[in-house]
Amino acid sequence: MKKTMRILAVMSLIVWGQLVHAQITAAPDRKEGQGPYKQLIIRGVTLINGTGAPPLGPVDIVIEQNKIQRIVTVGAEGNPIQSARRPVLAAGGQEIDATGLFALPGFIDMHAHIGGKEQGTPAEYVYKLWLAHGITTVRDPSTGNGLEWVLNEKKRSAANQIVAPRIFAYTAFGMGAKKPINTPSDAIEWVNENAKNGADGIKFFGAAPDIMEAAIKENKRLGLRSCAHHAQTDVARWNVVQSAKAGMTSMEHWYGLPEALFENKTIQDFPADYNYTNEQTRFEHAGKLWKQAAAPYSEKWNKVMNDLISMDFTLVPTFNIYDANRDLQRARRAEWHETYTLPSLWRFFAPSRNAHGSYWFNWGTEQEIEWKQNYRLWMTFINEYKNRGGRVTTGSDNGFIYQTYGFGFIRELELLREAGFHPLEVIRSATLYGAQALGIEKDLGTIEQGKLADIVLVNANPLKNLQVLYGTGAIELNAKGEAIRTGGVQYTIKDGIVYDAKLLLKQVKQIVDEAKTKENFKITQPGIE
Ligand SMILES: [Zn+2]
């Protein structure tokens, strides 16, 4: 009994690894950002509005305080601006000359942990990386720094007292419970407390079926949303389809989906020496999961997909967070690590038998090939889900597995593209669909008259190359034959406040430089001088 208890405790530490530790340093008071303005006109920009509409421009976007008032087409491509059509600048108004720039709605990161003690990331570092990559809204799934802490940051962000995206808090199920949750009525009690405490929703990892059902239903009855990482420890008895039927609104990662697609079994093909606390085993065998599921376009595959779509169920695949599984060296040597990855975060990423997501015991060709095949099947499902009208959104889960905040989110956009999404479908997933999944589409998610002014301005066309959205931009040869950097978000506007995205990145670099100097730290690769 005692031994079982200890095993369970270790297990929950790993599943709930990001939940059980002390808080990180909250963001300092805001010093950056200009506005909101009585009037702000973004002049001559090419608009990608997030609805799926093609680019249109040049347009002038008129913002008053934090609201988009008007969008006016002021010419045709390649022709001189028709000055007479231009909205007149009001007294005291401000302008941004956005000739040659592209405007997109602020991005929504649906799976955004605000760092933790293990990562050693002050909130300021995380928030500035997010905003520098155009992310103006995040959903914190599991409120790892505690619900109270996150709600406080949410309030300060809403009042623009700190430099941070809008925050939505989904508490980890059972977090802060005054007593153990052993029965459906215990669950209902906790769900009500959570709502009363001001959470926006719940993130589940799994529990007994009667408890899952009661909690999800009660949460829905209260008008809150929910999501789940259907952990291997409970998925045999409760998978994604059961969650959706009970009223859950979104699923995270892939967990629980291939399991819902099993045809000739009900439990994943675990080898006898599998042990969930051994993360190499856990992730290695996860890479063999999709091939155990019903084949693409088979009857079962179609039925599960159509059922989930009919329940308006949102998918948050977080492809990027498993990218290292299919090419560890790529993720480990990404060019931004040297400049933008904090020493403490780098150490957390390094191979370890204890840190969550650092399962590089002997990860090699065999594991990577399995994961490449795994992605093909997984991506086929996600792309077709979108093709049939299902909602797929963008979540990064960054701060684990060599994915640095912000950069990993842009990688997520690239991976949706790889799955088969048109670049405009990628942008819609990152904006409008995220807003719908959070229930905020009336105010956010697109650049339209009447909506809040959350806008990303970038100096290159992201539809041609999503990589221009990375803080480090994309490499291009100029006319002189020199390799130059293009892109990187120029300005991120949140709530009508204009942030110089490049300045935010510079400040992140300073935070990293200071930590490096203090610790005499340099990124090295294991066993290489
Ligand atoms: Zn996560």
Side-chain angles (χ1 to χ4, degrees), residues 18 111 113 203 253 397:
Q18 58 252 59
H111 198 112
H113 301 288
K203 179 188 185 185
H253 321 298
D397 201 12

Side-chain angles (χ1 to χ4, degrees), residues 94-377:
Q94 292 283 328
E95 293 173 298
I96 295 176
D97 177 7
T99 311
L101 303 193
F102 289 75
L104 299 92
F107 299 141
I108 298 176
D109 189 337
M110 288 288 288
H111 198 112
H113 301 288
I114 313 177
K117 276 279 176 211
E118 286 169 305
Q119 285 91 345
T121 45
E124 179 186 9
Y125 168 82
V126 176
Y127 295 153
K128 285 184 174 169
L129 277 172
W130 280 339
L131 282 169
H133 287 90
I135 298 161
T136 52
T137 300
V138 299
R139 182 182 65 167
D140 180 350
S142 68
T143 58
N145 292 291
L147 180 61
E148 215 181 285
W149 185 93
V150 176
L151 289 179
N152 195 44
E153 291 290 273
K154 172 184 171 155
K155 205 165 82 194
R156 295 171 74 212
S157 170
N160 294 306
Q161 290 165 353
I162 55 174
V163 180
R166 301 167 192 278
I167 297 169
F168 287 79
Y170 282 36
T171 323
F173 177 61
M175 189 187 218
K178 292 188 187 108
K179 57 177 192 190
I181 298 172
N182 294 328
T183 65
S185 65
D186 294 340
I188 287 169
E189 205 180 308
W190 182 88
V191 168
N192 277 277
E193 260 169 48
N194 182 55
K196 223 182 326 153
N197 289 341
D200 297 295
I202 302 174
K203 179 188 185 185
F204 293 88
F205 288 89
D210 57 344
I211 288 179
M212 287 296 285
E213 178 144 30
I216 296 169
K217 282 192 170 153
E218 180 67 4
N219 187 61
K220 190 186 178 189
R221 194 185 68 77
L222 296 173
L224 269 57
R225 288 162 196 251
S226 54
C227 66
H229 163 153
H230 294 83
Q232 251 59 32
T233 44
D234 281 299
V235 75
R237 55 180 178 171
W238 186 272
N239 64 39
V240 164
V241 169
Q242 285 152 304
S243 280
K245 280 186 180 155
M248 183 174 285
T249 49
S250 77
M251 66 165 283
E252 309 303 298
H253 321 298
W254 45 268
Y255 302 94
L257 183 53
E259 291 89 341
L261 290 163
F262 286 159
E263 275 179 309
N264 54 359
K265 67 175 104 190
T266 55
I267 295 178
Q268 178 187 338
D269 187 12
F270 294 115
D273 62 354
Y274 183 103
N275 186 327
Y276 189 73
T277 62
N278 176 322
E279 286 207 6
Q280 160 115 10
T281 323
R282 177 178 149 193
F283 284 93
E284 182 171 340
H285 289 281
K288 300 171 181 174
L289 198 43
W290 275 92
K291 68 182 181 191
Q292 296 171 47
Y297 307 100
S298 63
E299 200 183 319
K300 173 95 181 193
W301 193 87
N302 282 323
K303 184 173 177 352
V304 167
M305 180 177 295
N306 294 338
D307 284 354
L308 291 176
I309 292 171
S310 73
M311 291 183 276
D312 197 30
F313 194 65
T314 299
L315 307 189
V316 190
T318 68
F319 284 129
N320 80 97
I321 203 64
Y322 308 99
D323 205 17
N325 292 358
R326 57 178 200 164
D327 192 347
L328 175 55
Q329 186 161 193
R330 179 190 206 286
R332 194 162 47 81
R333 301 307 302 263
E335 62 179 359
W336 42 81
H337 284 314
E338 267 78 8
T339 314
Y340 298 108
T341 300
L342 262 183
S344 56
L345 185 56
W346 182 259
R347 280 193 295 268
F348 178 67
F349 288 156
S352 162
R353 286 178 200 277
N354 290 311
H356 175 50
S358 306
Y359 41 85
W360 322 112
F361 303 5
N362 53 2
W363 197 270
T365 309
E366 293 306 308
Q367 290 74 18
E368 291 186 1
I369 300 298
E370 287 286 5
W371 266 95
K372 283 181 185 175
Q373 311 286 10
N374 204 41
Y375 263 81
R376 285 190 192 116
L377 294 165

Side-chain angles (χ1 to χ4, degrees), residues 406-438:
F407 291 96
F409 180 83
I410 304 305
R411 182 69 186 145
E412 186 66 16
L413 306 188
E414 285 200 89
L415 291 171
L416 286 180
R417 179 76 188 99
E418 182 183 330
F421 286 48
H422 185 285
L424 283 168
E425 293 176 329
V426 174
I427 300 301
R428 183 181 58 187
S429 282
T431 57
L432 174 62
Y433 281 6
Q436 287 176 350
L438 292 170

Side-chain angles (χ1 to χ4, degrees), residues 46-53 61 68 102-108 133-137 409 413 424 426-433 435 443-448 451-458 462 469 489 491-494:
T46 303
L47 174 67
I48 298 170
N49 72 8
T51 64
I61 303 172
I68 300 164
F102 289 75
L104 299 92
F107 299 141
I108 298 176
H133 287 90
I135 298 161
T136 52
T137 300
F409 180 83
L413 306 188
L424 283 168
V426 174
I427 300 301
R428 183 181 58 187
S429 282
T431 57
L432 174 62
Y433 281 6
D443 293 321
L444 292 157
T446 60
I447 300 180
E448 289 181 282
K451 288 210 180 182
L452 295 175
D454 280 16
I455 297 173
V456 183
L457 294 174
V458 57
L469 295 169
V489 172
Y491 297 106
T492 300
I493 303 172
K494 178 214 166 199

